[in-house]
Amino acid sequence: MNGFKFMRRVGKLQDGQTATGESGVEQVSNAASDTKVFHQATGARKVRRSWILASAGLVLLATFLIGAEKKYVGANTVAYYRVMVQGQEIGNLNEEAQLDKLFEEKRQAYQAKYPGAVMVLQTEGISTESEKAYKPEIDSAATLKKLDGLLKAYAVGVQLMVDGKAVGVVKDQETANAVLQGVKNYYTPQTKASKGANLKKTAASSSAIASAKAVDKVESTKIREAVTIVPIKADPNKVLDVAEAIKAFTEGEEEPLLYTVEEGDTISGIAKRFNITQAEVFRNNPGAKELALQIGDELQLKVAQPDVTVVTVEQVTEQVVTEPEVIVRKSDLLPAGKRKVVRAGQTGLKEMQYRLTKENGLVVQEEWLGQTVVKDSLPEVVYSGTKVVGEGTGMFAWPVTGAVTSSSFGERWGRVHKGVDLVSGNRTIMAADAGTVSFAGVQSGYGNVVIINHLNGYETYYGHMSSISVSVGQRLEQGAKVGIMGSTGRSTGTHLHFEIRKNGTAINPMKYLK
């Protein structure tokens, strides 16, 4: 009660009023009450101070814990890369360099698998996105394995086109150039200089021709068709090396071919020319017969036809043994028709020069350029009895003046030619030697033809004439007019087909013509 009052008084005094005590005791009591109130106030202040300090400590502790947590989370926040394929995530990687390493390893693997091609890895549509996360689950191995299965590669190459048709793919322009040169070389023969061979300038025996034609010079080699080279992305399994590409160009694909029989053709020669068997020719042409084959007949063939035509122009030389000239001297000591050799002759040797045009190795045009005598023949001297008109001397003159040979004698380039083809500005045909006309008319293949029997085992044939000037049984001197050059029968142009036959067998006229 007193305390309450004291507090109130204190409150009043605090308001500026004067306190008057009733007794000293009461004043002492009031002093004690004041002391008690003072101590209570001081204790409250201490509690408040402790509470403030505790709160501050809690704040500091919380701040410390939050900072520690942030440091922990920061320490465990990892940067990684999301791998995207065509916009779809397929996995993640620890480092972007892992992707580059996979690309290089995969490219090298494809290059090792296809060493003949230039390989390029297809990485279009593959990208990465950088991310950060707290303790993310990253499985680089699984991602790389999955991506490895998706990676493909293609070969950088060039497509060889022939007249717009794709023939083959090679790795680059340099290889393509090597292929085209190789195709040309395939059909271009070696020259004598490249072979290091020299023709022997000696006479051979009279029973054989010295040698086959040897190439002196290749004037030109070209591919007829238009060949283009186009860069492409290719299947590496279809990229060809040089040898494979040359084979593709030169072999071609088997296709039907209608072949027209020409002069000198035989079944065996046709088969050899197209690299097929005679059995194949007969199988595709049941009615064909070797001995009944006629100029102009058509044969159904199935042959490999290359995609390109390599045209070569070559100069060639052929050595031909020349027969000796026969010098006949009349003698009244011998019966009519009797002959006696008083000096044996010796053969000579000459070189024939030709220009050949070939298509893929097959002769399509032959031009005689001239001849060079290597060794003169030694004439044979013969005594003969009384001369009989119509009997030959065994010496043969050119049947036309100023003659040029357009096709030579014998089996050459897959054909058999029983004589020589002659062209000249002077179309008059003359008897090559004295003799008797045994045939004058038309024969299959020869057209208008005259056959002269020289009554000494020799016969001469004159074919493709436009007109005939003699008749059967007529006796002719050497140089007598036989007819006019033409292009009758199976002929490709105006010329004379001239043959010399001995005892029924065709022989090379170039051995006898002087």
Side-chain angles (χ1 to χ4, degrees):
M1 187 74 177
N2 293 331
F4 175 74
K5 289 179 180 179
F6 174 79
M7 292 178 68
R8 287 197 305 168
R9 285 194 187 99
V10 169
K12 286 182 179 181
L13 287 173
Q14 289 174 348
D15 289 338
Q17 296 179 357
T18 302
T20 57
E22 294 180 0
S23 65
V25 175
E26 185 178 0
Q27 289 176 353
V28 172
S29 299
N30 290 339
S33 298
D34 289 340
T35 300
K36 183 178 181 180
V37 169
F38 174 79
H39 285 294
Q40 288 177 341
T42 302
R45 284 195 296 270
K46 288 182 179 180
V47 170
R48 285 196 299 272
R49 189 180 301 114
S50 297
W51 183 86
I52 291 171
L53 291 173
S55 298
L58 290 173
V59 170
L60 291 174
L61 178 61
T63 303
F64 173 78
L65 293 175
I66 291 171
E69 181 182 7
K70 286 183 177 179
K71 289 182 179 180
Y72 179 81
V73 171
N76 289 275
T77 298
V78 177
Y80 67 98
Y81 295 89
R82 299 167 60 204
V83 180
M84 316 294 290
V85 177
Q86 302 298 336
Q88 298 295 320
E89 183 176 354
I90 66 165
N92 46 43
L93 297 173
N94 294 108
E95 298 178 2
E96 197 171 21
Q98 292 175 296
L99 187 63
D100 296 330
K101 182 180 179 182
L102 174 64
F103 286 166
E104 180 58 22
E105 289 176 349
K106 196 69 175 177
R107 189 196 67 78
Q108 290 181 5
Y110 273 113
Q111 190 63 65
K113 184 177 181 180
Y114 302 102
V118 178
M119 301 302 297
V120 175
L121 198 66
Q122 294 179 338
T123 59
E124 294 84 357
I126 301 175
S127 61
T128 59
E129 295 180 2
S130 61
E131 293 284 353
K132 288 184 178 180
Y134 173 70
K135 288 187 176 181
E137 294 183 2
I138 302 173
D139 191 346
S140 295
T143 302
L144 292 172
K145 183 178 180 181
K146 186 174 182 180
L147 186 59
D148 181 84
L150 298 175
L151 289 173
K152 304 297 180 184
Y154 63 85
V156 175
V158 293
Q159 177 79 65
L160 289 162
M161 311 284 290
V162 178
D163 284 344
K165 176 186 175 183
V167 177
V169 178
V170 295
K171 68 177 183 179
D172 52 27
Q173 178 76 44
E174 183 180 357
T175 305
N177 293 337
V179 169
L180 295 179
Q181 187 59 50
V183 171
K184 292 180 181 179
N185 293 343
Y186 181 84
Y187 292 110
T188 304
Q190 288 184 306
T191 62
K192 289 185 294 184
S194 65
K195 289 182 179 180
N198 294 312
L199 290 177
K200 294 181 179 180
K201 305 298 183 178
T202 57
S205 66
S206 60
S207 60
I209 296 178
S211 67
K213 288 183 173 64
V215 177
D216 296 314
K217 176 183 178 182
V218 178
E219 294 184 3
S220 64
T221 302
K222 64 179 181 180
I223 295 176
R224 175 181 294 166
E225 293 77 12
V227 180
T228 54
I229 301 172
V230 183
I232 63 168
K233 295 179 180 180
D235 179 349
N237 294 298
K238 295 182 179 179
V239 177
L240 307 176
D241 60 24
V242 173
E244 291 170 333
I246 291 174
K247 184 177 181 181
F249 268 89
T250 54
E251 288 189 353
E253 299 178 356
E254 278 197 351
E255 295 180 9
L257 174 68
L258 183 63
Y259 179 75
T260 302
V261 175
E262 299 179 2
E263 183 180 1
D265 275 338
T266 62
I267 295 295
S268 59
I270 293 171
K272 183 177 180 181
R273 179 179 186 183
F274 291 103
N275 196 28
I276 57 178
T277 64
Q278 296 183 53
E280 290 179 273
V281 178
F282 287 120
R283 183 166 58 251
N284 293 326
N285 302 273
K289 295 181 180 179
E290 180 76 73
L291 298 179
L293 202 61
Q294 298 292 320
I295 297 174
D297 288 349
E298 292 183 339
L299 298 177
Q300 296 286 346
L301 305 177
K302 192 172 184 181
V303 299
Q305 299 185 41
D307 293 299
V308 295
T309 306
V310 178
V311 181
T312 60
V313 179
E314 307 160 15
Q315 288 187 18
V316 298
T317 299
E318 180 184 29
Q319 288 190 335
V320 177
V321 174
T322 57
E323 294 298 322
E325 179 184 0
V326 178
I327 299 176
V328 179
R329 294 175 180 170
K330 302 303 179 181
S331 175
D332 295 336
L333 300 176
L334 295 175
K338 296 296 181 179
R339 299 167 64 88
K340 182 180 180 179
V341 177
V342 295
R343 188 182 71 185
Q346 293 181 5
T347 59
L349 185 68
K350 64 180 177 181
E351 289 184 345
M352 311 287 292
Q353 291 85 38
Y354 299 87
R355 177 180 288 114
L356 304 179
T357 301
K358 298 180 182 177
E359 294 181 358
N360 290 349
L362 300 177
V363 176
V364 295
Q365 183 177 345
E366 175 184 347
E367 180 185 358
W368 181 58
L369 301 178
Q371 63 184 29
T372 302
V373 175
V374 177
K375 180 183 178 181
D376 289 320
S377 59
L378 180 64
E380 180 178 286
V381 179
V382 177
Y383 282 170
S384 178
T386 304
K387 180 181 178 181
V388 177
V389 176
E391 180 182 345
T393 64
M395 296 185 299
F396 296 93
W398 288 84
V400 290
T401 59
V404 174
T405 302
S406 61
S407 183
S408 52
F409 170 85
E411 183 175 353
R412 60 192 72 233
W413 312 302
R415 300 181 181 281
V416 177
H417 197 213
K418 293 182 179 180
V420 292
D421 290 345
L422 305 175
V423 294
S424 173
N426 187 344
R427 296 172 60 190
T428 300
I429 301 170
M430 301 168 289
D433 196 4
T436 301
V437 178
S438 59
F439 182 88
V442 178
Q443 281 192 6
S444 177
Y446 288 93
N448 293 327
V449 62
V450 169
I451 302 174
I452 299 176
N453 186 340
H454 300 283
L455 303 179
N456 55 5
Y458 290 96
E459 288 182 302
T460 50
Y461 283 58
Y462 310 78
H464 305 316
M465 292 192 293
S466 63
S467 62
I468 296 173
S469 304
V470 296
S471 57
V472 175
Q474 184 176 344
R475 294 183 177 184
L476 303 174
E477 294 285 354
Q478 187 181 58
K481 182 178 178 180
V482 175
I484 301 297
M485 189 185 300
S487 184
T488 57
R490 298 296 182 182
S491 172
T492 56
T494 300
H495 69 282
L496 168 64
H497 175 80
F498 177 67
E499 294 182 20
I500 298 178
R501 297 192 183 190
K502 184 175 184 180
N503 298 323
T505 301
I507 54 179
N508 189 353
M510 302 306 290
K511 291 183 178 183
Y512 297 89
L513 294 177
K514 305 300 180 184

